[in-house]
Amino acid sequence: MPWTTPASTPPRALPIGLLVDAVQELSLARDLDAVTAIVRRAARALAGADGATFVLHDAGRCYYVDEDAIAPLWKGRRFPLEACVSGWAMIHRQALAIPDIYADPRIPADAYRPTFVKSLAMVPIRIAEPIGAIGIYWATHRAATAEELEALQALANCASVAMENVAIAADVEARVRARTAQLEEAMRELEAFSYSISHDLRAPVRRIDGFAQALEEDAGAALDPESRGHLARVRDAARTMGQYIEDLLSLARAGRESVRRDPVDLSALARAVFDDVARGHPGRDVERVVAGDLRAHGDEGLLRGALENLVGNAFKFTERAGHARVEFGRARCDGVAAYYVRDNGAGFDMQFAPKLFAPFQRLHRAEEFAGTGIGLATVKRIVSRHGGRIWAEAEPGRGATFWFTLGPQAVDETRP
Ligand SMILES: Nc1ncnc2c1ncn2[C@@H]1O[C@H](COP(=O)(O)OP(=O)(O)OP(=O)(O)O)[C@@H](O)[C@H]1O
Ligand SMILES: [Mg+2]
């Protein structure tokens, strides 16, 4: 490379450590501001200069993006490529050192007169197809050594790689953002669609049950037993379908409504839910245990829905337990503090656990335990919308524990 290096240059040990540090920092830089900050600092320090500039090629102009100097240079200004020395380095894809700027025809003296600069060196960023340049400046007559120019060029090469990385990362990020937005939009449309379908189905299904009931009351006595059985099955099916629709609507609602962040007394909420659920199971004697003083930040309405499902399941799946016991509390599981609903009922085989939280997935037959299989999908949605997660532990015949967290903002960290 044709370095311009006069013999009068004073000897100076090149601080290679600085270059190594800058290369390291550049490899971690995540945006253009970070790249320019590292480069201007390192460029100046490498050659013991009084100033350094970071210049970008910007639509036929030299854009002085940033500088680090003893006095202002041209930060923020743009000059035609042909009219400044950084442009010369880019056009000729060459480094250059100028020991006396007023004795060199490539320098527009008028632009330099207001500045401290007496000598300079300049290297292009990305030699094959320059995208910018790095300049260093002295307030004295001084010629950059070949070594200094080489180190500066090495810095420029690393800066070019770092800038490409930043551009790729920004591109990937923008694509991910756009794709996520598309997905969210598609999800919203799908949810709105399933919500309106479920909503519109509700009325006709009610009418089927209503008219079947009217027929049963008005003409039931006149029907033969087989026809009465058919009518009863029509009503049964309409009621099951009605239940599916209600459950699907609450699943859709759990995803649509905005999540409030209010202080919630979870212990009191759990006690109320236990009472409600117990009223729905008259004649059952279930030992109920609710830990006191559990508080969280969240959406009370949604959290009530989640607890109703979990406690409802616990009551349902302990139907055949000798002495049924259902407990709500908080403890550490897998290293995190989580709430739990535990029972000593039917349990299930853990190999099927991954299916549990998907809609319509049931591990027990309807003849054994009634249900539509939507409850846990709704709970999962409520928990995720709070920024938390849900998981289960169980053993066939030995009960199940459902654990859930409510996200970092929702946790009362004074508890275990
Ligand atoms: N406490 C539990 N003990 C044992 N199995 C459970 C328990 N909770 C849930 N399961 C299993 O997970 C399945 C899915 O539960 P989920 O609450 O989604 O549906 P469901 O209770 O069957 O119906 P739904 O809640 O929609 O009326 C259940 O059918 C059951 O097989
Ligand atoms: Mg359920």
Side-chain angles (χ1 to χ4, degrees):
M1 219 176 262
W3 310 121
T4 315
T5 315
S8 61
T9 302
R12 178 178 178 274
L14 197 68
I16 288 297
L18 275 177
L19 185 60
V20 173
D21 288 350
V23 170
Q24 188 92 27
E25 285 175 40
L26 281 173
S27 72
L28 300 173
R30 286 288 158 263
D31 54 42
L32 189 61
D33 282 354
V35 173
T36 57
I38 296 162
V39 167
R40 64 182 156 81
R41 212 179 333 108
R44 187 176 162 185
L46 264 178
D50 298 313
T53 56
F54 186 96
V55 186
L56 279 181
H57 184 186
D58 178 26
R61 291 169 157 243
C62 296
Y63 171 37
Y64 282 74
V65 180
D66 205 359
E67 65 195 26
D68 179 353
I70 53 171
L73 289 165
W74 308 277
K75 182 170 172 170
R77 294 181 63 186
R78 288 176 169 81
F79 302 98
L81 219 55
E82 299 74 23
C84 65
V85 70
S86 57
W88 190 97
M90 288 188 232
I91 291 167
H92 295 86
R93 300 193 203 128
Q94 247 181 49
L96 73 158
I98 300 181
D100 178 0
I101 59 159
Y102 295 107
D104 194 299
R106 290 170 296 191
I107 300 288
D110 286 347
Y112 278 78
R113 240 182 284 281
T115 71
F116 65 85
V117 178
K118 294 234 163 36
S119 57
L120 63 81
M122 190 68 70
V123 295
I125 298 175
R126 199 169 73 180
I127 297 174
E129 207 182 322
I131 49 171
I134 301 172
I136 51 176
Y137 310 85
W138 289 274
T140 54
H141 287 151
R142 154 94 149 75
T145 63
E147 254 187 335
E148 284 168 346
L149 281 177
E150 265 172 42
L152 202 58
Q153 189 63 66
L155 181 68
N157 294 345
C158 290
S160 128
V161 174
M163 284 163 73
E164 267 164 38
N165 287 345
V166 163
I168 291 169
D171 185 47
V172 169
E173 227 171 83
R175 278 168 200 241
V176 169
R177 261 202 305 273
R179 192 60 62 87
T180 309
Q182 276 173 1
L183 274 175
E184 280 172 357
E185 180 60 25
M187 284 287 289
R188 265 195 300 275
E189 274 173 21
L190 209 63
E191 270 169 14
F193 178 70
S194 71
Y195 186 83
S196 54
I197 291 273
S198 314
H199 198 264
D200 294 352
L201 283 177
R202 193 148 61 166
V205 167
R206 275 200 192 135
R207 279 214 299 280
I208 293 173
D209 186 38
F211 282 111
Q213 186 183 4
L215 197 59
E216 203 173 45
E217 285 165 9
D218 298 348
L223 291 174
D224 61 80
E226 196 183 355
S227 301
R228 263 206 305 277
H230 289 161
L231 205 50
R233 284 163 83 170
V234 168
R235 291 201 63 198
D236 244 16
R239 274 195 295 263
T240 306
M241 187 143 177
Q243 191 56 53
Y244 269 101
I245 290 169
E246 290 308 319
D247 290 350
L248 277 171
L249 280 172
S250 51
L251 175 66
R253 256 182 239 120
R256 281 157 67 94
E257 283 164 12
S258 58
V259 176
R260 298 173 63 98
R261 286 285 182 190
D262 300 325
V264 179
D265 181 343
L266 275 183
S267 299
L269 187 63
R271 266 184 230 109
V273 167
F274 270 65
D275 289 347
D276 280 356
V277 174
R279 268 194 291 278
H281 291 79
R284 289 277 315 276
D285 180 20
V286 177
E287 182 188 345
R288 304 179 230 161
V289 183
V290 175
D293 216 17
L294 293 183
R295 287 165 211 288
H297 273 82
D299 189 306
E300 182 154 353
L302 289 176
L303 292 176
R304 171 182 272 273
L307 283 176
E308 277 169 359
N309 272 301
L310 292 174
V311 174
N313 281 349
F315 270 64
K316 175 162 61 180
F317 292 98
T318 49
E319 253 159 31
R320 308 212 167 107
H323 169 81
R325 184 174 194 275
V326 179
E327 185 184 345
F328 171 70
R330 183 150 179 229
R332 291 198 89 79
C333 176
D334 296 343
V336 290
Y339 304 99
Y340 64 85
V341 174
R342 173 173 294 147
D343 66 64
N344 61 346
F348 53 82
D349 188 336
M350 280 299 281
Q351 67 167 308
F352 303 116
K355 290 171 134 198
L356 278 176
F357 301 99
F360 305 118
Q361 295 289 345
R362 309 195 70 231
L363 307 183
H364 298 85
R365 284 179 298 119
E367 305 84 69
E368 237 184 323
F369 296 100
T372 55
I374 299 177
L376 286 180
T378 308
V379 179
K380 182 178 179 185
R381 193 169 280 189
I382 291 171
V383 165
S384 326
R385 298 215 53 210
H386 278 82
R389 66 187 184 92
I390 181 162
W391 65 103
E393 281 173 345
E395 217 183 299
R398 310 201 62 167
T401 304
F402 284 82
W403 296 90
F404 65 92
T405 58
L406 292 175
Q409 297 165 322
V411 178
D412 173 2
E413 284 302 345
T414 57
R415 306 289 308 169

